[in-house]
């Protein structure tokens, strides 16, 4: 078993009795409560030293309740050292008051406004959205880019217009691993990685493959390309639990990434599994 201390930079928790998560209705295996004690069981012997909570797409008008709930959890388990919150950045200048509220909570480190669910592939290029994202450095906030392969080309143009924002690409940009489709994702990811303010999470890899029959060989060309593009300097481990459990247990996710990085130095593995997340999210 992997012995390094780990920072899990992408942890989901939800209580379906407290908040409503509309997207869960179509996923019976996830449509139930997942709490810290469930996560601890999933970790088993993994040495998770710090965690970053990632917003879970509750009803948008209740996202501040989600932030407050996780803030209370962090008082119980101080390993929760960061929160990435939702915020309606497409409001442009009008979102500033909401960012002020979030800034008053020192646990809030960044914002994720999911792009992948937008049928308008140009959503991330709307002037108000770009204006909202460009406000984030004023508050010390990062931005998590959650897209799938359909959105990558426009994400390049989006990032180009936000040079002062620290970006984290979630789940290696969700390529179509199930169908072994490397292109055009491969070239577009290379272009996205050329921006030095973009990092990448090597998370939920098996989730984009066949959930029941994936192999390490299925994942290898995609993961190898991510390290070719971002190096160990800008890659971050993230569990994406419990969503990742649809395809692999959390311990299997860690073991798989260790196998995929065979030959990496101890210093490189420390960057990947620990120090890069601390640096990026200012934990």
């Amino acid at each position: 078993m992997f012995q390094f201390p780990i920072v899990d930079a992408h942890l989901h928790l939800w209580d379906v009795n407290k908040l409503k998560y509309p997207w869960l209705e179509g996923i019976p295996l996830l449509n139930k409560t997942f709490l810290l004690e469930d996560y601890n069981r999933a970790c088993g012997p993994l040495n998770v030293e710090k965690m970053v909570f990632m917003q879970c797409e509750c009803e948008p008008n209740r996202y501040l309740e989600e932030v407050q709930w996780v803030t209370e959890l962090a008082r119980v388990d101080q390993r929760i050292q960061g929160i990435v919150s939702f915020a309606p950045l497409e409001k442009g200048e009008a979102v500033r008051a909401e960012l002020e509220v979030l800034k008053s909570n020192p646990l809030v480190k960044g914002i994720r406004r999911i792009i992948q669910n937008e049928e308008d592939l140009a959503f991330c290029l709307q002037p108000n959205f770009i204006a909202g994202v460009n406000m984030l450095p004023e508050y010390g906030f990062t931005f998590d880019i959650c897209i799938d392969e359909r959105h990558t080309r426009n994400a390049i143009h989006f990032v180009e217009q936000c040079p002062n924002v620290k970006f984290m690409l979630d789940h290696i940009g969700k390529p179509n691993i199930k169908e072994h489709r490397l292109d055009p994702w491969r070239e577009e990811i290379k272009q996205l990685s050329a921006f030095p303010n973009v990092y990448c999470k090597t998370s939920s890899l098996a989730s984009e493959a066949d959930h029941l029959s994936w192999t390490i060989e299925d994942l290898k060309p995609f993961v190898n390309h991510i390290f070719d593009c971002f190096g160990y300097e800008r890659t971050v481990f993230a569990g994406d639990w419990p969503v990742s459990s649809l395809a692999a247990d959390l311990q299997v996710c860690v073991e798989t990434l260790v196998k995929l990085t065979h030959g990496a130095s101890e210093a490189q593995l420390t960057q990947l599994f620990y120090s890069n997340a601390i640096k990026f999210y200012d934990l």
Side-chain angles (χ1 to χ4, degrees):
M1 179 55 68
F2 186 55
Q3 296 301 313
F4 279 107
I6 293 171
V7 177
D8 189 341
H10 200 106
L11 167 64
H12 296 299
L13 300 167
W14 54 73
D15 185 338
V16 296
N17 297 311
K18 288 184 177 291
L19 293 169
K20 186 175 181 181
Y21 303 84
W23 65 280
L24 292 178
E25 294 173 5
I27 312 176
L29 290 174
L30 296 179
N31 194 13
K32 58 183 179 179
T33 294
F34 289 91
L35 300 176
L36 278 167
E37 51 263 38
D38 303 305
Y39 176 71
N40 290 335
R41 281 193 292 272
C43 286
L46 294 175
N47 180 17
V48 177
E49 194 174 282
K50 305 175 192 291
M51 291 113 71
V52 176
F53 172 83
M54 180 61 56
Q55 62 87 214
C56 302
E57 287 296 279
C58 67
E59 292 174 308
N61 63 330
R62 300 186 67 186
Y63 78 92
L64 290 174
E65 294 178 55
E66 181 181 60
V67 170
Q68 183 56 41
W69 177 63
V70 178
T71 301
E72 293 167 4
L73 292 180
R75 295 190 182 107
V76 177
D77 190 334
Q78 295 183 2
R79 294 179 302 163
I80 300 176
Q81 297 194 4
I83 295 172
V84 176
S85 171
F86 171 87
L89 297 176
E90 64 272 27
K91 289 183 177 180
E93 185 63 32
V95 80
R96 190 175 292 279
E98 294 175 66
L99 297 179
E100 293 283 356
V101 172
L102 291 170
K103 182 59 179 174
S104 69
N105 185 333
L107 280 176
V108 177
K109 304 296 185 180
I111 303 298
R112 183 171 79 159
R113 168 60 172 88
I114 289 182
I115 296 169
Q116 76 172 45
N117 297 333
E118 301 296 332
E119 289 302 319
D120 178 5
L121 298 185
F123 171 83
C124 65
L125 300 179
Q126 294 177 8
N128 277 348
F129 182 70
I130 290 173
V133 172
N134 272 321
M135 291 178 195
L136 297 183
E138 297 178 43
Y139 299 91
F141 292 155
T142 61
F143 185 82
D144 268 62
I145 303 173
C146 188
I147 57 174
D148 61 37
E149 60 175 0
R150 299 171 302 149
H151 297 267
T152 314
R153 182 161 298 282
N154 280 336
I156 295 166
H157 302 306
F158 161 55
V159 167
E160 187 175 30
Q161 297 179 66
C162 306
N164 298 317
V165 179
K166 289 172 63 178
F167 288 106
M168 180 69 75
L169 177 65
D170 291 349
H171 318 316
I172 70 170
K174 291 195 171 185
N176 191 333
I177 299 176
K178 185 175 182 178
E179 297 181 8
H180 311 283
R181 191 163 66 219
L182 277 160
D183 299 310
W185 172 86
R186 177 164 40 190
E187 177 55 33
E188 291 168 351
I189 286 294
K190 184 177 180 180
Q191 293 178 46
L192 192 57
S193 72
F195 297 97
N197 53 325
V198 180
Y199 283 57
C200 183
K201 285 178 179 171
T202 56
S203 50
S204 224
L205 303 172
S207 300
E208 303 309 315
D210 188 300
H211 288 180
L212 299 179
S213 62
W214 65 272
T215 68
I216 287 182
E217 291 304 313
D218 294 332
L219 309 181
K220 187 175 291 185
F222 296 90
V223 176
N224 285 351
H225 185 61
I226 288 298
F227 285 105
D228 286 344
C229 290
F230 291 93
Y232 283 87
E233 297 77 20
R234 289 187 288 141
T235 46
V236 173
F237 165 74
D240 194 28
W241 184 91
V243 179
S244 58
S245 65
L246 293 172
D249 293 339
L250 184 59
Q251 294 172 59
V252 172
C253 291
V254 173
E255 292 167 357
T256 298
L257 189 53
V258 170
K259 290 175 182 176
L260 286 165
T261 54
H262 177 73
S265 69
E266 183 174 333
Q268 288 172 323
L269 292 176
T270 298
Q271 287 178 302
L272 171 63
F273 283 96
Y274 193 80
S275 59
N276 286 348
I278 294 173
K279 176 184 176 182
F280 184 85
Y281 288 115
D282 190 25
L283 303 183

